[in-house]
Structure formats: structure tokens, C-alpha cells
Amino acid sequence: MKVLLSWVREFVDIDEPAEAIGRKLSLRGLPLEALEPMSDDALMDFEVTANRPDCMSVAGIAREIAVVYGLPFRAPHSAWPEAGASPSPAAAPPIRISIEAPDLCARYVGAVADVTIGPSPAWMADRLNACGVRPISNVVDITNYVLLELGQPMHAFDHARLAGPAIVVRRARAGETLRTLDGKPRALAADMLVIADAERASAIGGVMGGAESEVSASTRRIVFESAWFKPQSVRATSRALGLRTEASMRFERGADLTAPAVAMARACELLSQLGAGTAGPLLDVYPARHQPAVLFLAQPRVEGLLGMHVPDAEIVRILEALGFGVEPVPGGWSVVAPGWRVDMHRDVDLIEEIGRHHGFEHLPATFPGVQQAPAPSDPRIARDARARRVALAAGFSEAISFAFIEARHAEPFQGGEAPVALANPLSEKFAVMRPSLVPGLVGAVSHNRRHGRRDVQLFEIGTRFSARGETRAIGLAWTGLATPDHWSGGRRDVDFFDMKGVVEQLASLFDVEISARAPAEGSVAEAVLVPGRAAVLVSGDRSIGWLGQLQAAIGDAHDLPANDVVYVAECDLDALSAAVAPARMTTPLPRFPAAVRDIAMLVDESLSAATVRGTIRSKAPSTLVGVTEFDRYQGKGIPDGKVSLALRLTFQSLERTLTDSEVEAATTAVVDLLTSELGAVRR
Amino acid sequence: MTTIDPSIGTDRARAIFDEELAGVASAAALQELRNRWMARSGSWVAAFMDLIARATPDQKKALGRGANELKKHVEVALADREAALSATRRPAGAVDVTLPGRAPRLGCRHPLSLVREEVGAIFSRLGYQVLEGPEIEDDYHNFEALNMPAEHPARDMQDTLYLANPLTPASYAPPTRGLAPRAPQPLTLLRTHTSAMQIRQMERHDPPVRLVAIGPVYRRDNLDLTHTPMFHQVEGLVVGRGITLADLKGTLTSMAAALFGPATRGDESARSGQAPLVRFRPSFFPYTEPSAEVDIRCIRCGGEGCPMCKRTGWLEILGSGMVHPAVFEYVGYDPDEVTGFAFGMGIERVALLKWGVEDIRLFYENDLRFLEQFGR
Ligand SMILES: [Zn+2]
């Protein structure tokens, strides 16, 4: 709200410079947004919060200043004639006003005036200009001047253009249209309030006047309007029409039911002051008079809520200065809110007024007492922190990406399901909620690669969205070298098993045993990963995630440099934590030594390690406690289509030390098993 | 090499020795030097002994003292240099210890994640329960129960992102109290604040309540230097008997000190407790009454005024207030029995201030050159 200091001074004798006023009001709920010094004046722009429509006026700001500085406020109505005062003898005849929609218009004050249209005097035009309102003509300028001064929107109709002549406040008729002052034709809906003449709509109530009844240079007689319109109705109409005006902004926040007559008196006074015309009687249609809210303020409640002591006299001073009626009653006060304080519903609203004008700077700093032990925190926080530690230790840096991504980036990761799309996205880039963390990570890898990074390892822990709801996952992406460059050599690009190792560590963190399988047809892993370098991860029959080499086409879509090899993985943290076995008791350390035997077996190259291990596990002697693949060799000395698989077998008994011959027998049993079951040959 | 000539005197000879010693770089050269100065015959020391033997009795005493001092000096210096030389000798299999080590790669933390964790830790320490919650919400929990019924103008303050097709909650536990619909509500929007989580918690638990809810929230804000359509928020809520606005001030003061450290304490007067760390400015939120915006003392200038705080000495950091009685009615608490405070703070805002980041979009680019500045 832009106000001129000189204008404010018509309501309160404030000597402070504008800057000081601004600083002080900023601490009382009216932050000064901008200050424009002028030759012998200042334009102050205050930010007014949505609950304070009364401060969208010079008088409202002046009242706050008066309270802050403890100065008297010259109430606007004291200077002007009472509503309904007797008209001057030359006054124009009245007009018939009827309110057919009293639920949307609680009060309508009209006045007919004979006018001579011309320019406004310089002082008025200058004030309007300074506040960003273009002067048009004396009559129109008066309506804008009163709006700025008192916050009450007004309108002027050309009397000659009103059929009847009559003012009818009613809902729009089906199919009714109106060309508004901005020249645009508007289709009106049946729930919109219009100000009509005897025949058709001539204004949209509280939003904008119509072009047909607009005051023009040839206008000789006008009808001034000063009314009260229901906030919800004005807001809905304004939104539906996409039409926000100075009037609608004030009505939708709640206008003062007592203001229309005061504003009309002020407009008529200005009319005669400017020599622009003479008004007839104020016609006040006010079917149900405003019943001011009476609130009980319990004295102990003030300190009880604020935690600071405010003396009773100060409480009364603040409320009265703000225009409240205050009556002492047992235990507190009975408080009547003035008409312009539409935000007063409960005692806390009064306490806020007391607190802010007494000064929040007087608040002591205390602590809330603890009555009981805190309830446990969301277990996901500690869980995610553990997963984060594993990823960081494995060299991955933490990424945070927008949860909405492009539809084309999401599509391959949806597993054939519909995406969770936004109805009103900011742009195509943010169209759907991510079904996976990997698209965002690939985008981030691409960004880093295009900015000169060779090795990129990123992870993100975040929410994935599907029609079934939200799941929390960790996604990983890795491109470049497997380990940092070192002078000793060992330079190697990241491969499938680097990424699989990280995922295995994640699973072991949760003490969950996972196994890898080739992805099923139609799965996300199949859709986004290179065939033969793709795996889905399961624990029992629970799906945990997937990993593998990203398909080039997916990288291309994110502008990843061509030929970049990126390994990606995603693990469902919710599924992982659900798969956690109950906490285990420790087992005693073995008292007898273990025996280790290495065997090398020639097997078909198509045979998976999991099959070999599974075969051994299925029928192994009970003393076999461990099987590890420690070498896999193809090439010289190995027949085509075969592979030499070296296995380390660990045997141990809890009861005694195994003899050499027992270990040998057990090893032979394993070899025989592989030979008979899988056609393996010992090398 | 200077010819051995004891007639130059022991002081001059000592200077010559020091010069020659300085040129010794190997054990062999050191042995050579030792022979030249200390050998029984033909050395400097031997030459001085000869000189003493030939001197008159009254010269002998002075000459003897000088020669002995020279001898002692040479012995000590030779021993020191020998020790120094043997220390630099590389044993078999020695490595060049100055070459870089084989460091395992360590990832970097994201600054938003660091702040999130830090804020969580601060409030855990103050006895708060730390919660997260669903990011897709229903209208009731995001707006209505926060005293923003349909058509409430305050809904404009948070431009909302809506789903094209509402979702049905996967699991549903009806609220045990309050005005919430007992049937599951369609999930229609991305939460605009984490306050929705606070409502859900109050609907299911009796007071007292002492929690912070942390996580991403969404608003239809265009990307610019200070806005992103997704950002992170931490919201605190304390409800109980006799909770006051002054309690909020104390709580936020200690949070600011913990989060921003001694810098917030600024100049001497601030340190001595004269100047407060936080400042409340009256404001408006539909779900709190009274409401206040909270500033912290500028972490760069300590309150004197600098470009960061636009010369005000204060940095705006969060919105807060006393829980509106209407909110208590929505969740089934008695506003005559309990009071409470609530506050909401942007994680990005904290990170921007804490590390002097000038463009909020950097937090979502995941550029390693940026992330690596936040340490491991
Ligand atoms: Zn500063």
C-alpha cells in the first residue's frame, strides 16, 4: 500500500521522518517495502498482510502510526456530515435502489449528483499519480481518491445510461454478458453479483464497472456507489473472470460494513469542494445492520499466551487507540471490535494486537517445559543415514534432485504403469513425479561430464512416486574409473561388479541376503539396462532393486556424452528394511581350527556361479561352512566353451579338529557332486 | 683445501673446519675429513700437538687450551654430521614417502542434507521427535485443518501444484480425534508445507506434542536466484499446558546459536547478552495467532549492517507463531486447555546464509565442483 506522508498527516500529527516511521512500523506488523523521498514529501510503500484490509488505506496506515507513537488519530467521520444529512436545495432527485441478493450485498449506499465533468485540481491529480493511479476526470478521480484514503471502493455511473432509472443489486442472469471498463466483453455466471439498471447489468459488483454506463465528458448526472460485497463472492468472481482490481482486492479480504456511508459523505464533500457538482441525499439500503463482535478477553490469558507481562492500562490503551470499545468486566474486559477490523474473531486476535503494539522486543526468552520423554522419531531417518554412510564411504557424493521430471525421462522407468502427472506443472521439464531416482542422477552425471568431470559417482536418497503411493529408495550412478588414478597404476574403468559390490554392502548393512537374477521381460531393468549387464535383486521373493549398465539411449536423452559407460543401481530402502531379519544373538567363536581346500573345476561357461554354489550347498557335507569363488579363467589351456572356476572350500566342526582324511573325503564329495550334477571336471 | 698450518691459530683453524664440514655430503667424504683433522699424524690436531710440544712453558698453557677446544669441537661436529648422514640413508626396500597415498574415494555430503541433519540433531537434543511424512497430501491436511478452508484468500500465498489424477492412499489409519473425515481422502496435491504432517500427528496423539517435521515441499514458483518449485522445510510444533510465545523465542534463540555458531553472537554487546540473537516481527499466517516473522542477527556483520543483511543487521529466517485455536479444534484439542507454538524454516535459506551461496539453483544442479566445497 503506497501512502504519501503528507496525506497521512491529515489524520495524525506525526513529525518523524518517513524512514523512522517505516523502521518502527516494520516491527509492528507493517513492513516498509520501499521508500521514495520527494521534494517536501515521501511516498511510503507498506506491505499489508492478507488479514489487514483496513490498512489498505491512508487512514488505516495513519491509525497504526497514531497507536505506535501514542498520538491522537483524527477519525475520518468526525470531519464530515452524518450519513443521511439533509440535502442541499438544488440537489438531484433520488434513484430507486433495491438489493435482490442481500446475502452477497449487505449494504448499498447511493447518491445522485449533478456534475460538471472536468479535470481534477493539481493537488488531487498529484496525489493519485504518486500512488500509481492515473487521473481521468474529477468524478472518477474522487472515487479513486476515496478508495485510497478510506479503503472503501466506490463507483460512479452515468445516470443517463441507467434504464429506469434504477439500481438493482442482483445475481447475473443466465447468458448475461457485460462489457467491462477495460473494454472486454465478459460472460457472467449465475453466481456472480451484478449491479444492474432496470434492464441489464451495468457493473460487476465489487470487481469492475461496465463500459456502457461509464462516466464520460458528456455526463451531466451521476450515481455514486459505495457498497459492501461479500468477500467470498467477490473473490470467486474475480478469479473466475481473471480480473483483479483495487476494488476486488479490498472486498475479497473483507471491507468495513460501517464504511460505505462515511465514504459516500466524503465523496460528496469532495464533489462540492472541487466545484464539480452537487449531490442529493445519501440513499442507504442496509437491510440487516452490522452487529459488532463482542469478545471477552480474560486478563490472565494475555500473559498466558505471550509469556510477557503487559500492564492492564497498556492493554486498554492499545485496544482503545486501535478503535476497540473496551469495558472492564470481572476477570478481564469486554471488547467490541470496530467495523474495519474484520479479522477479530477470538481473544487471540486481541492478544496479537496487544503483543505487537506492546512490542515483541519485550518478550523474554524462556523454554517450554518437558512433561514426558519424547516420542520416537521416524525410523527412516536413522535408516537413511546408515545407507548414506555406505554410499559416501564407497565414493559416491550426495545428490538432491527435483522430484518432478520430464515425462519422456520418466517413461522408461515406469514399468508400463501410468505416471503420477501434475495438473499444473511449471513446465514440461517438471511434468511428472519421478518413478525412480535414476533419471535425476543420470541428468546430474551428464551435467558433470559436460563440465569436464571424467569420474562421477553420485547417489540420492529420496521418494519415488507411483499410482500405488510413495516409496523411499537409494539410487546410484557411476561412470569413469573404478578407483582414483594413482602413480602405481591399476587404472581400470568401473564395471558391473564394482556397482554390485556397493549394492551388496548396502544389503549387508541391513543384514539382508540378496541374490541377483536376469531381469524379467517388461521390467524397468530390462527397459533401461544393457542386456547381459543387467540384474534384478531379490531377497526371498521380495524385490529389492536392480543394477547394471545404462542403455545408451537413456543417456542420450539426458545429453550424456556418447560412448560414456554409466552403471546405475536403485534399491528400495523400504523393501530392504522390511526384509531385515530380527536381531540376531551372537554365536560363540569356534574352538577348533578350520581347514581350507582349493579346487579348480572346468565347467560350461554358461553355468552361473549361483548354480555351482547352489549345487554344492544343496548336498554338501555338514562340515562345509564356506564356499568362495576366487578365480575364473578362460583362455590358454581351457577348451572352448568352458571356464575354469576356482573355489575355496572351508570346512569346520564345532566339536573337534577335523582330520586331514576327513577334509579330503569331504572335498572329494564336493568334486564328485559337481561332476555328477553339472558335468564338471576337476583340473 | 687449505694447507695444514697451525701457525694461523685455533680460531682460524676452527673456521676452516666448519667450512670444510659444510661441504661434506657422504659418509666417505666425512671419513676423509675426519682423517684430515683427527688422525694421529699429519692432521690438523696432530700439527697443533707438535706446536704445543715445541712451545715455551709459558706459551704452552694458552696453546693447550685452544687446541683442546678445537679438538672437542671437531669431534662433536663430526659425530653430529655422521648421525645426520646415517639418518638419510634409505634402507633396502625403502619407498619414497613423499609420493601421494592410495586414498579410497570418499563421497561428499549435500549441503541441504547437512543442514537437514544438523537441524534434526539440534531439536533431538532439545527433546523433540523428528518426523517425515508423505509428500503427496489431501486438501484437508494441507489446507483445511490449518485454518484455510476452501476459498480462503491465504491459499493464494502458497501457489499449489496439483496432481492430474488424484491418488488413493495405499494404507489408511483413520484419525482418532478431531474433525478430520473418517474416510480416506483423495490425495490431490503436493504438500506446500510440512505442517500437514503436524496435523496428522496431532490427530493421532494426545498432547503434549513436541516435534519437528522435515522434508521436501512444493510450490508453483518459477526458478530464479531465490526460488525453486521444490524446497525443503523444517517445521516445529510444541503443544502443552502454558506454552507461550516467549518459549518460542527462547527455543529459536538457541536454535540460531547452534545452527550459525558464534558468528550470530556478533559484537561484544551481543556476546554479553545485551543484544538479542533473534527478533520477532508481527506477521500473518492463517494457522497461527499471534504470528511473527523471525530475524536472526546478521551472521556476517553481527548486526552492524552489511550488504548481506541489506544494512539492517538482521536476516529473515522463518515464520512462526502461536497455534491458532481453530487448528486445535480441527485436531480435537481443547484450545482452553492447551496452547502451542509452531515455526517453519526453509532449509535452503539456512544453507544460503550459512555458506554465502548466492544462487539457490546450485543446490539442485549436483555439480561436484559445488558439492566438494562442503567437505566429507
Ligand atoms: Zn549484515
Side-chain angles (χ1 to χ4, degrees):
Chain A
M1 177 70 208
K2 287 180 176 164
V3 296
L4 284 166
L5 183 54
S6 61
W7 204 343
V8 165
R9 287 194 176 130
E10 291 181 7
F11 295 92
V12 57
D13 293 318
I14 178 79
D15 290 330
E16 294 284 307
E19 205 178 358
I21 298 173
R23 258 201 312 276
K24 211 145 185 189
L25 261 68
S26 294
L27 293 177
R28 297 290 179 263
L30 278 173
L32 185 68
E33 288 245 286
L35 177 62
E36 200 180 309
M38 305 168 86
S39 56
D40 54 351
D41 206 344
L43 185 70
M44 299 182 284
D45 190 357
F46 290 100
E47 186 191 329
V48 177
T49 50
N51 60 329
R52 294 300 303 277
D54 65 300
C55 282
M56 296 177 79
S57 66
V58 177
I61 301 279
R63 188 183 294 107
E64 286 289 324
I65 292 173
V67 180
V68 168
Y69 285 92
L71 297 167
F73 173 71
R74 281 189 291 278
H77 52 266
S78 62
W80 303 313
E82 281 293 306
S86 59
S88 57
I95 189 168
R96 189 161 39 84
I97 298 174
S98 54
I99 299 179
E100 293 181 1
D103 55 329
L104 303 185
C105 172
R107 187 174 191 184
Y108 195 102
V109 177
V112 180
D114 288 326
V115 295
T116 312
I117 302 292
S120 303
W123 65 266
M124 181 179 274
D126 287 351
R127 279 190 171 176
L128 292 177
N129 268 324
C131 298
V133 178
R134 192 168 53 90
I136 295 167
S137 68
N138 46 14
V139 166
V140 176
D141 293 353
I142 286 172
T143 61
N144 286 328
Y145 191 88
V146 173
L147 167 97
L148 293 174
E149 186 173 71
L150 303 178
Q152 169 66 35
M154 292 194 64
H155 186 61
F157 297 97
D158 186 333
H159 186 277
R161 304 289 187 103
L162 294 178
I167 295 280
V168 182
V169 185
R170 59 166 169 82
R171 284 184 164 79
R173 295 189 181 123
E176 199 165 14
T177 58
L178 174 71
R179 197 157 61 87
T180 40
L181 280 173
D182 53 9
K184 289 186 182 145
R186 309 276 178 181
L188 304 175
D191 55 347
M192 294 179 180
L193 185 76
V194 297
I195 315 303
D197 59 17
E199 290 163 8
R200 62 209 157 104
S202 42
I204 302 169
V207 180
M208 193 179 263
E212 294 305 317
S213 55
E214 186 180 8
V215 171
S216 69
S218 59
T219 301
R220 295 283 170 268
R221 180 172 284 177
I222 59 157
V223 180
F224 267 144
E225 165 193 296
S226 180
W228 187 95
F229 301 112
K230 190 181 179 188
Q232 292 81 348
S233 159
V234 172
R235 179 178 151 81
T237 302
S238 157
R239 280 173 74 98
L241 296 175
L243 192 56
R244 293 200 84 202
T245 60
E246 290 291 323
S248 73
M249 268 161 52
R250 284 169 174 82
F251 283 125
E252 73 176 41
R253 295 181 188 198
D256 178 0
L257 253 173
T258 66
V262 177
M264 182 61 84
R266 175 63 169 146
C268 294
E269 183 196 47
L270 284 167
L271 200 61
S272 93
Q273 191 186 326
L274 266 51
T278 330
L282 269 58
L283 309 163
D284 192 352
V285 185
Y286 194 3
R289 291 196 75 82
H290 168 62
Q291 294 303 317
V294 181
L295 302 170
F296 173 65
L297 178 60
Q299 194 264 1
R301 177 91 160 133
V302 179
E303 187 166 352
L305 197 69
L306 295 176
M308 70 173 164
H309 177 70
V310 186
D312 289 358
E314 172 78 345
I315 291 173
V316 173
R317 179 197 76 82
I318 291 167
L319 291 176
E320 287 185 340
L322 285 166
F324 292 83
V326 184
E327 269 313 308
V329 293
W333 300 272
S334 172
V335 183
V336 180
W340 58 85
R341 291 310 300 264
V342 295
D343 56 327
M344 291 297 133
H345 307 289
R346 300 171 183 254
D347 61 352
V348 289
D349 300 320
L350 299 171
I351 295 169
E352 175 168 70
E353 296 306 289
I354 295 160
R356 102 188 146 87
H357 276 296
H358 183 62
F360 284 166
E361 65 271 23
H362 299 303
L363 283 172
T366 56
F367 275 94
V370 180
Q371 287 93 26
Q372 59 184 43
S377 292
D378 190 327
R380 291 180 299 180
I381 296 171
R383 177 200 71 186
D384 294 354
R386 296 173 68 204
R388 183 179 295 118
R389 276 204 299 278
V390 169
L392 289 166
F396 292 83
S397 287
E398 191 174 16
I400 294 181
S401 322
F402 288 132
F404 19 58
I405 59 177
E406 277 186 66
R408 68 183 175 108
H409 288 158
E411 203 274 330
F413 293 86
Q414 284 159 206
E417 290 181 24
V420 177
L422 295 180
N424 57 339
L426 269 172
S427 75
E428 274 189 20
K429 278 194 168 331
F430 307 129
V432 302
M433 301 308 288
R434 60 184 175 197
S436 158
L437 298 163
V438 170
L441 286 169
V442 174
V445 169
S446 169
H447 170 91
N448 281 287
R449 289 285 294 122
R450 282 181 285 112
H451 286 80
R453 272 294 170 143
R454 183 194 59 198
D455 305 335
V456 184
Q457 272 180 281
L458 289 169
F459 78 99
E460 178 167 3
I461 294 173
T463 304
R464 302 177 303 178
F465 302 84
S466 80
R468 279 166 284 115
E470 302 174 24
T471 49
R472 190 78 63 88
I474 179 169
L476 302 128
W478 191 346
T479 190
L481 295 184
T483 54
D485 248 341
H486 194 254
W487 52 267
S488 64
R491 211 183 140 93
R492 179 173 67 71
D493 284 338
V494 59
D495 67 18
F496 182 90
F497 298 100
D498 291 316
M499 189 58 113
K500 192 182 180 209
V502 175
V503 172
E504 283 167 346
Q505 287 203 325
L506 267 171
S508 73
L509 176 78
F510 293 95
D511 203 10
V512 170
E513 212 164 299
I514 53 168
S515 51
R517 295 178 190 158
E521 216 168 298
S523 66
V524 169
E526 197 221 312
V528 304
L529 301 175
V530 172
R533 296 203 173 169
V536 292
L537 303 162
V538 292
S539 167
D541 50 7
R542 197 190 300 268
S543 167
I544 299 295
W546 47 264
L547 84 142
Q549 185 184 338
L550 190 74
Q551 280 179 22
I554 307 276
D556 283 350
H558 288 273
D559 297 325
L560 196 74
N563 307 323
D564 267 19
V565 173
V566 182
Y567 278 90
V568 290
E570 184 164 71
C571 290
D572 186 329
L573 289 171
D574 297 336
L576 257 182
S577 43
V580 170
R584 287 188 299 197
M585 295 294 127
T586 56
T587 51
L589 299 182
R591 291 167 56 211
F592 304 99
V596 172
R597 293 290 183 276
D598 292 347
I599 56 171
M601 303 297 295
L602 272 182
V603 296
D604 276 353
E605 66 176 356
S606 62
L607 209 57
S608 76
T611 310
V612 175
R613 218 181 306 122
T615 304
I616 297 172
R617 283 260 165 81
S618 63
K619 289 183 185 162
S622 63
T623 52
L624 181 71
V625 295
V627 182
T628 322
E629 298 84 358
F630 73 93
D631 191 31
R632 191 176 190 276
Y633 175 70
Q634 271 181 301
K636 212 173 160 210
I638 306 295
D640 272 357
K642 296 283 180 188
V643 61
S644 165
L645 192 63
L647 301 166
R648 179 155 297 158
L649 308 176
T650 308
F651 299 94
Q652 192 162 39
S653 162
L654 287 176
E655 286 97 34
R656 60 202 167 80
T657 303
L658 295 174
T659 65
D660 265 359
S661 54
E662 280 172 324
V663 174
E664 275 319 314
T667 306
T668 309
V670 170
V671 170
D672 291 348
L673 182 65
L674 292 176
T675 307
S676 63
E677 299 276 319
L678 303 175
V681 180
R682 187 170 191 179
R683 284 181 78 210
Chain B
M1 212 167 283
T2 322
T3 318
I4 296 173
D5 176 11
S7 69
I8 62 171
T10 48
D11 286 352
R12 179 83 188 94
R14 182 182 168 136
I16 290 169
F17 169 78
D18 285 347
E19 209 172 290
E20 288 182 8
L21 180 70
V24 168
S26 67
L30 189 70
Q31 188 53 46
E32 207 173 294
L33 190 73
R34 185 189 305 278
N35 292 340
R36 182 169 149 71
W37 285 83
M38 299 291 288
R40 267 179 205 283
S41 63
S43 72
W44 275 91
V45 170
F48 274 110
M49 292 304 153
D50 284 350
L51 195 65
I52 295 165
R54 279 183 275 118
T56 59
D58 48 327
Q59 285 172 324
K60 260 186 186 159
K61 199 170 179 190
L63 270 173
R65 191 165 55 241
N68 268 330
E69 277 170 14
L70 175 69
K71 190 178 169 192
K72 199 172 280 170
H73 173 73
V74 169
E75 273 172 348
V76 169
L78 285 172
D80 281 357
R81 176 52 58 96
E82 183 166 25
L85 278 176
S86 73
T88 58
R89 204 180 301 136
R90 292 171 58 164
V95 296
D96 179 354
V97 298
T98 64
L99 277 169
R102 202 176 282 119
R105 237 182 236 151
L106 277 183
C108 301
R109 288 295 299 271
H110 194 286
L112 297 180
S113 164
L114 284 171
V115 173
R116 193 173 157 163
E117 188 175 78
E118 195 176 348
V119 172
I122 289 169
F123 284 101
S124 291
R125 208 164 59 225
L126 293 176
Y128 288 60
Q129 126 185 77
V130 186
L131 298 178
E132 299 182 348
E135 294 168 42
I136 296 184
E137 262 297 352
D138 59 45
D139 188 89
Y140 178 85
H141 287 94
N142 194 74
F143 287 121
E144 193 174 341
L146 286 151
N147 201 24
M148 286 183 278
E151 289 303 308
H152 193 287
R155 287 193 178 202
D156 290 349
M157 290 161 67
Q158 306 175 353
D159 212 347
T160 311
L161 287 159
Y162 290 94
L163 298 190
N165 301 300
L167 301 184
T168 315
S171 61
Y172 182 72
T176 52
R177 52 159 78 243
L179 308 178
R182 292 308 192 250
Q185 296 294 294
L187 305 170
T188 54
L189 51 85
L190 301 183
R191 64 176 176 190
T192 58
H193 44 201
T194 46
S195 319
M197 188 56 213
Q198 306 181 346
I199 298 295
R200 290 187 177 279
Q201 190 69 9
M202 283 191 283
E203 279 173 356
R204 286 178 177 79
H205 298 91
D206 292 333
V209 171
R210 204 178 169 100
L211 65 87
V212 287
I214 312 187
V217 299
Y218 305 87
R219 293 189 194 169
R220 206 168 180 281
D221 284 334
N222 275 302
L223 275 173
D224 62 29
L225 281 176
T226 51
H227 295 90
T228 47
M230 171 177 129
F231 59 98
H232 294 76
Q233 213 180 33
V234 53
E235 294 203 327
L237 174 74
V238 172
V239 179
R241 282 174 195 276
I243 301 295
T244 68
L245 194 61
D247 291 337
L248 175 61
K249 187 173 185 177
T251 300
L252 295 179
T253 300
S254 78
M255 181 202 72
L259 206 48
F260 294 101
T264 352
R265 282 171 208 124
D267 56 13
E268 280 302 318
S269 65
R271 245 193 301 270
S272 65
Q274 297 290 307
L277 272 188
V278 302
R279 174 175 89 163
F280 281 34
R281 283 179 294 106
S283 189
F284 168 69
F285 307 106
Y287 30 88
T288 49
E289 188 80 22
S291 303
E293 300 223 26
V294 178
D295 301 336
I296 54 162
R297 187 166 290 280
C298 179
I299 56 175
R300 186 160 295 174
C301 66
E304 280 176 15
C306 70
M308 184 168 175
C309 57
K310 301 195 190 83
R311 312 244 153 249
T312 63
W314 296 95
L315 298 169
E316 189 181 327
I317 187 160
L318 56 82
S320 67
M322 299 302 292
V323 179
H324 199 289
V327 173
F328 285 147
E329 286 163 6
Y330 275 109
V331 300
Y333 286 7
D334 182 353
D336 291 330
E337 287 287 314
V338 294
T339 53
F341 66 67
F343 59 87
M345 177 173 76
I347 297 287
E348 278 79 354
R349 174 86 180 136
V350 173
L352 286 172
L353 293 175
K354 202 174 161 82
W355 289 295
V357 180
E358 279 168 2
D359 185 346
I360 195 173
R361 290 169 293 196
L362 281 169
F363 292 129
Y364 291 93
E365 257 176 14
N366 300 310
D367 191 314
L368 287 165
R369 295 168 301 178
F370 179 66
L371 298 179
E372 281 165 359
Q373 298 180 39
F374 298 93
R376 291 168 163 89

